[in-house]
Amino acid sequence: MSIMQKILITGAAGDVGTRLRRLLKGVYPSIRVSDIRTPSDLGKDEDFVAADLADLTQVETIVAGMDGIVHLGGFSVEGPWETIHKSNIVGCYNLFEAAYRAGVKRVVFASSNHAVGYYRRDQKIGVNVTVRPDSRYGVSKAFGEALGALYADKHGLRVTCLRIGNVNDKPLDKRRLSIWIMPEDLVQLIRIGLEHPNIHFEIFYGASDNTAGWWDNSNARRFGYSPRGRSETFRDEAMAEQTKLPPDPVGDRFQGGPFCSEEYDADRNP
Ligand code: 15L
């Protein structure tokens, strides 16, 4: 694996961006961070450049001179179409197009479990399944994966899409016992995407070593991924938290949980 010199992290003010800024510090010689808003904890030594992803000119400014990009930027939950369209469709297109024009070598795209959220919980899925988005947000993540494939296959960008479960210090409830990823494990996946010599276009699941997991992550393991986190360690706590949540008969059937039950047309979907 070879170390890239200049890395850009978009979405740097968000929860995952904030964790990654800390964890990637010192890993790469030069890290630029960007977001539409200034991170509240921005350090004096951090190279922050604000940008609206929906504006191609601004995106071209932040990607200039970069070797690799970790693209976390965008809207990170379900939202109105106008918001998803601007932040995650136009914004994601601008990111890949600007990266290509600037000669950036690699992009790691933060996709989401919600690109495949309508798979049932009794199904084990790998990375080659048809996408089954559970929301407009999930559709935007499937779109980002498709864009990544296009820029890899047509233009030679090396692209890794991470279908991230839930990044947190510990799994928050029963569903998260299946999809939790420890932040350090996410760093491992990002580093594979930025450094592994054989990346062309890959999809990995962003999950730790979860016994209750729904995803076959052998593709990530093929590239050396060796997760350290084990959600079972936190089972009792997570199940105790679960009892505080309202019943969700639709969400509980599907991997995407509440994203699946939101706006669900039960009368048209017997
Ligand atoms: C996501 O994709 C979201 O960005 C995050 O906020 C969580 O909702 C996560 O999925 C999840 O499914 O728990």
Side-chain angles (χ1 to χ4, degrees), residues 18-254:
T18 301
R19 290 172 184 275
L20 288 177
R21 276 164 41 227
R22 288 193 210 117
L23 291 168
L24 289 175
K25 202 172 193 153
V27 173
Y28 299 101
S30 163
I31 300 183
R32 167 173 292 172
V33 300
S34 180
D35 204 297
I36 199 162
R37 61 196 162 100
T38 309
S40 54
D41 64 336
L42 189 70
K44 285 198 176 62
D45 57 338
E46 287 188 285
D47 170 20
F48 173 75
V49 185
D52 179 355
L53 293 170
D55 181 332
L56 180 59
T57 311
Q58 292 184 37
V59 181
E60 286 188 310
T61 303
I62 56 170
V63 306
M66 296 296 133
D67 298 316
I69 300 175
V70 182
H71 181 44
L72 308 170
F75 201 70
S76 65
V77 287
E78 179 61 316
W81 172 242
E82 292 68 28
T83 307
I84 297 292
H85 178 254
K86 186 169 173 257
S87 307
N88 293 11
I89 303 286
V90 177
C92 192
Y93 172 78
N94 286 348
L95 189 283
F96 276 106
E97 177 62 16
Y100 161 58
R101 289 187 194 172
V104 174
K105 296 182 190 71
R106 294 182 186 233
V107 173
V108 175
F109 169 59
S111 181
S112 167
N113 69 91
H114 297 291
V116 288
Y118 268 125
Y119 280 95
R120 291 190 320 269
R121 295 189 184 189
D122 60 7
Q123 290 173 292
K124 185 123 184 165
I125 57 171
V127 294
N128 291 327
V129 293
T130 304
V131 290
R132 300 290 292 274
D134 58 22
S135 48
R136 291 173 291 279
Y137 166 69
V139 169
S140 75
K141 293 300 182 181
F143 171 81
E145 291 184 2
L147 261 187
L150 174 67
Y151 279 89
D153 292 339
K154 186 159 280 193
H155 302 304
L157 212 67
R158 292 166 179 243
V159 178
T160 304
C161 300
L162 305 179
R163 285 185 185 158
I164 301 175
N166 189 253
V167 187
N168 226 310
D169 297 329
K170 56 187 180 183
L172 300 174
D173 52 26
K174 181 166 185 256
R175 177 173 161 267
R176 268 60 167 263
L177 284 171
S178 300
I179 69 164
W180 175 64
I181 182 163
M182 188 171 81
E184 290 79 2
D185 287 343
L186 180 60
V187 167
Q188 245 195 78
L189 289 171
I190 289 171
R191 292 197 61 177
I192 291 169
L194 290 176
E195 298 168 40
H196 197 289
N198 299 336
I199 296 285
H200 168 66
F201 173 79
E202 297 299 336
I203 297 177
F204 302 147
Y205 282 100
S208 284
D209 185 12
N210 304 329
T211 307
W214 300 314
W215 306 323
D216 171 359
N217 216 6
S218 48
N219 195 39
R221 289 183 183 268
R222 207 162 61 86
F223 284 84
Y225 180 50
S226 174
R228 298 275 174 261
R230 296 196 70 251
S231 64
E232 284 309 302
T233 318
F234 305 95
R235 174 166 284 276
D236 293 349
E237 262 180 89
M239 292 310 281
E241 288 303 314
Q242 182 66 31
T243 61
K244 300 177 191 162
L245 297 175
D248 184 1
V250 172
D252 288 350
R253 273 176 25 221
F254 299 110

